[in-house]
């Protein structure tokens, strides 16, 4: 077994290898393998896996990739991630990708799919219209058709017709993957000092750019490590991060929040890898229906999913309660409409429920966060001083 | 320029229609009519009418508030309540107006919604907007209609069926439940026949810009022309009458060789013909327009006038396929088109209306329009070798309308057009 440090270092490297070297090497190992880039938030990677491919997460260039060409495509008042994705594409970081998937999360990602199409980047570009109707016979059927389109594109490339067995096998692998990620969060809920949030982040993000089989092996080892009483407990409050589901904060910022006196016991940084709560049925005779049902019935709340029948403020409040958190930090990418438009909904509700929060905005390429660190520090101090008990009001 | 223009009969008709609607809304609780809030893109006017409901369009209230200089205070109110500076200002203007008593543009109170018909067409903000309103109006029924995006530049049978199923199993039963009125398909069909008539007419109206001089401005005046068809009158005889009248007035202008009417009277010389992408600024609408007509620039086509439906590619409501037709209508609104479709549509306009240039008015707070506009501009410039211009403003937030900035940019742009024209003329000689 590798040491935790070795694992984390490996994952950290993979997470920010913007040339996606490991995915490329995997593809080259065998004829017929395809690579499909997917943008945030969520995509059912199982179906690509079952078709002999690998879904590779494309989460922008962070503060590593300098933006030159991408700025020519996006006005200053549009979030940063589309320009960094354009930069990656135009600088040929993703030339070995066969296709690209743009999940329906916002108008920016939607329109970016059109720019990819217009520029003929990749063999296929699919805007994946996730259903906003949650009846299995309506939205569910539509979602299955959307998945079929993706499979058709892949078949046109590698000739693979997916089977029920292959899909169920892939579903099973991703179920295990989510179970172990879940386990990590469960341990951290009580012992957050065993593994820092930045390490968790790297470990999960690495899973979006390597095979699920390899990632599962890594997760198994991580789970073993954190079962032990490692790390040193510090006097920090527990908080939940919400709103950072697409454009990712710079690594320094993720770290700075914990350094400023907060244990992050839940977050939505890598929401896509944790979107489905619980398992997808891996024994179905219609696996696409099983994936669809899971999405419709077992999704985490998200700013991109219509929530009238299951209001997000109560769902986040429940996470806060279940994790024993002292408060919430709303972290939104600058100009991120879905996140920012949700802010008043959450904040008005939390004012009534008595849940403490602060809010700030960030940009993936900004690694100056002194002000945010101070704000978080003051938040932590105020909670430590005035509020020893976790929030229970619901 | 002449004195302030005389009101044409079509303008009077439109005013009567709108005043009538707001009066009906003010009396809705007395008359027992149900009130349905909905959005312009993907507005199901004919279905709303089939259930005898009165429509409210929050975007229209927002833009009217801006034209009456009230939006700044509404936006401020919303921002005091955790609404970000950087999101769609229509939403904030609407929320602020609600917080300040929901007094509509005509000074009458707008009733609370019985239904929030979330026509989720071409913009994600709609979803967030009604999620926000639902928390303010807990008794209202939210009815979601998910319109699939034309990602592959087509409306497939699967997409249509997805929508038709939503109409049959969700929208119509819920409308029946709220209104107590049984769905009457024959009535819907009658509205669809009238909708098609209005669509034929408005297409002919916007096609008149092929004339030189163009008898209308398809952007600044166009936003008035699309009023009736977009705000709940599509599918009525009133709308058909309005468009007939408007069309005949425009025909008369063509006969007399007249250019467009501006707020300062008739435009005397048409120097530049432009196609514009993006919504206008509403807080300084007249000043904005004036920059163009003072320079002799007329807008011969605009994408904004297609937000409530794209009719110039031949699509029409079809009463023989009522629900399918409603589905296709939604899918075919401008912001529900993919970027390549938008590029093709604008290119077609530039070519067919013999435009000298293409201008993008990029709206700071509208990602649905703005994200991708720079890429579109590059493509159109490369494809048609047409001079492109770019300005930035906002819909209803006066803080983001910089008159001098926009004027300077446009003046440089017009200079470029002038130089091109001189070069062309020299080449011909
Ligand atoms: S950061 Fe927000 S606005 Fe930008 S692409 Fe992601 S979800 Fe859309
Ligand atoms: S973002 Fe644009 S399209 Fe969407 S509601 Fe606002 S103004 Fe309309």
């Amino acid at each position: 077994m590798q040491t935790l440090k070795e694992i984390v270092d490996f994952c950290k490297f993979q997470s920010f290898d913007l040339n996606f070297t490991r995915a490329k090497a995997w593809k080259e190992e065998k004829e017929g393998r395809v690579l499909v880039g997917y943008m945030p938030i969520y995509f059912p990677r199982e179906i690509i896996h079952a078709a002999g491919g690998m879904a590779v997460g494309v989460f922008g260039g962070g503060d590593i990739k300098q933006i030159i060409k991408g700025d020519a495509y996006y006005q200053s008042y549009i979030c940063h991630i589309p320009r960094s994705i354009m930069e990656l594409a135009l600088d040929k970081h993703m030339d070995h990708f066969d296709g690209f998937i743009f999940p329906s999360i916002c108008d920016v990602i939607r329109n970016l799919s059109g720019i990819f199409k217009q520029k003929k980047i990749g063999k296929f570009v699919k805007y994946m219209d996730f259903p906003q109707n949650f009846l299995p016979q309506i939205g569910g059927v539509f979602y299955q058709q959307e998945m079929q389109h993706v499979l058709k594109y892949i078949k046109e490339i590698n000739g693979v017709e997916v089977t029920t067995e292959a899909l169920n096998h892939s579903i099973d692998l991703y179920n295990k993957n989510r179970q172990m990620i879940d386990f990590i969060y469960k341990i951290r809920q009580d012992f957050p000092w065993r593994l820092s949030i930045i390490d968790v982040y790297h470990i999960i993000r690495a899973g979006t750019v390597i095979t699920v089989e390899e990632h599962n092996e890594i997760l198994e080892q991580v789970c073993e490590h954190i079962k032990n009483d490692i790390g040193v407990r510090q006097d920090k409050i527990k908080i939940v991060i919400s709103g950072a589901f697409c454009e990712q904060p710079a690594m320094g910022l993720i770290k700075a929040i914990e350094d400023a006196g907060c244990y992050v016991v839940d977050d939505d940084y890598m929401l896509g890898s944790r979107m489905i709560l619980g398992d997808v049925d891996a024994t179905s005779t219609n696996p696409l229906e099983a994936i669809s049902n899971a999405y419709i019935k077992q999704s985490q709340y998200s700013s991109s999913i219509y929530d009238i029948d299951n209001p997000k403020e109560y769902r986040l409040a429940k996470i806060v309660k279940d994790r024993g958190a002292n408060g919430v930090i709303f972290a939104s990418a600058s100009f991120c409409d879905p996140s920012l438009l949700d802010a008043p909904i959450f904040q008005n509700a939390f004012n009534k429920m008595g849940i403490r929060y602060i809010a700030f905005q960030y940009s993936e390429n900004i690694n100056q966060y002194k002000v945010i660190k101070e704000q978080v520090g003051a938040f932590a101090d105020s909670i430590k001083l005035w509020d020893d008990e976790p929030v229970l009001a619901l | 320029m002449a004195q302030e223009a005389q009101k044409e009969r079509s303008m009077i008709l439109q005013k009567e229609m709108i005043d009538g609607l707001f009066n009906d809304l003010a009396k809705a609780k007395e008359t027992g009519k149900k009130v349905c809030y909905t959005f312009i893109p993907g507005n199901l006017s004919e279905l709303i009418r089939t259930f005898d409901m009165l429509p409210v369009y929050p975007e229209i209230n927002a833009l009217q508030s801006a034209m009456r200089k009230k939006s700044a205070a509404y936006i401020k109110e919303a921002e005091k309540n955790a609404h970000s500076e950087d999101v769609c200002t229509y939403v904030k203007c609407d929320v602020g107006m609600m917080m300040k008593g929901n007094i509509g543009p005509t000074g009458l109170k707008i009733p609370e919604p019985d239904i929030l018909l979330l026509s989720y067409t071409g913009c994600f903000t709609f979803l967030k907007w009604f999620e926000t309103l639902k928390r303010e109006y807990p008794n209202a029924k939210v009815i979601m209609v998910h319109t699939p995006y034309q990602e592959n530049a087509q409306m497939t049978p699967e997409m249509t069926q997805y929508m038709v199923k939503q109409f049959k199993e969700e929208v119509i039963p819920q409308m029946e439940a709220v209104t107590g009125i049984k769905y009457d398909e024959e009535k819907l069909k009658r509205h669809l026949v009238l909708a098609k008539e209005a669509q034929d007419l408005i297409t002919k109206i916007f096609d008149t810009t092929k004339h030189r001089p163009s008898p209308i401005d398809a952007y600044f005046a166009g936003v008035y022309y699309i009023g009736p068809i977009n705000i709940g009158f599509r599918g009525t005889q009133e709308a058909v009458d309005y468009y007939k009248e408007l069309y005949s007035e425009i025909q008369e202008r063509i006969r007399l060789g007249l250019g467009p009417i501006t707020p300062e009277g008739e435009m005397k010389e048409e120097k530049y013909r432009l196609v514009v992408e993006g919504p206008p600024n509403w807080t300084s609408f007249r000043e904005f327009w004036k920059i163009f007509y003072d320079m002799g620039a007329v807008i011969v086509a605009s994408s904004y006038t297609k937000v409530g439906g794209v009719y110039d590619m031949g699509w029409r409501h079809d009463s023989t396929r009522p629900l399918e037709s409603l589905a296709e209508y939604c899918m075919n609104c401008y912001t529900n088109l993919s970027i390549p479709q938008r590029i093709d549509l604008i290119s077609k306009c530039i070519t067919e209306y013999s435009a000298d240039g293409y201008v993008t008015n990029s709206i700071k707070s509208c990602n649905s329009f703005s994200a991708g506009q720079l890429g579109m501009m590059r493509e159109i410039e490369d494809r048609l070798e047409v001079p492109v211009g770019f300005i930035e403003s906002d819909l209803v937030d006066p803080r983001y309308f910089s008159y001098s900035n926009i004027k300077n940019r446009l003046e440089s742009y017009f200079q470029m057009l002038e130089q091109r024209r001189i070069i062309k003329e020299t080449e011909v000689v």
Side-chain angles (χ1 to χ4, degrees), chain A residues 63-84:
Chain A
D63 58 353
I64 300 171
K65 181 78 188 160
Q66 204 197 344
I67 307 303
I68 298 161
K69 304 182 188 95
D71 276 342
Y73 284 84
Y74 287 94
Q75 300 90 317
S76 57
Y77 37 81
I78 288 173
C79 59
H80 201 265
I81 188 171
R83 66 196 83 219
S84 75

Side-chain angles (χ1 to χ4, degrees), chain B residues 97-141:
Chain B
M97 185 176 103
M98 183 193 66
M99 286 169 166
K100 286 188 170 254
N102 227 17
I103 306 300
T106 58
L108 299 169
K109 187 171 164 64
I110 296 176
E112 294 197 359
D114 297 292
I115 286 179
L116 293 163
L117 178 58
L118 176 42
S119 64
Y120 174 62
T121 298
C123 174
F124 278 80
T125 298
F126 293 144
L127 185 86
K128 306 275 100 191
W129 196 337
F130 275 7
E131 282 181 357
T132 303
L133 287 198
K134 170 66 184 170
R135 273 121 178 132
E136 303 298 330
Y137 300 118
N139 297 327
K141 178 91 210 156

Side-chain angles (χ1 to χ4, degrees), chain A residues 28-87:
Chain A
E28 282 166 359
E29 268 168 26
K30 204 170 151 193
E31 186 99 351
R33 285 181 169 174
V34 295
L35 292 183
V36 180
Y38 71 95
M39 315 295 146
I41 305 173
Y42 164 75
F43 174 74
R45 291 175 287 170
E46 293 86 337
I47 67 169
I48 306 278
H49 184 268
M54 179 176 161
V56 186
V58 178
F59 296 97
D63 58 353
I64 300 171
K65 181 78 188 160
Q66 204 197 344
I67 307 303
I68 298 161
K69 304 182 188 95
D71 276 342
Y73 284 84
Y74 287 94
Q75 300 90 317
S76 57
Y77 37 81
I78 288 173
C79 59
H80 201 265
I81 188 171
R83 66 196 83 219
S84 75
I85 293 176
M86 275 307 286
E87 194 81 19

Side-chain angles (χ1 to χ4, degrees), chain B residues 17-18 21 45 49 227-236 238-239:
Chain B
M17 288 159 80
I18 293 172
L21 173 62
S45 291
R49 294 229 162 230
I229 206 164
N230 279 352
I231 64 162
F233 294 96
R234 203 185 55 228
T236 66
E238 284 166 287

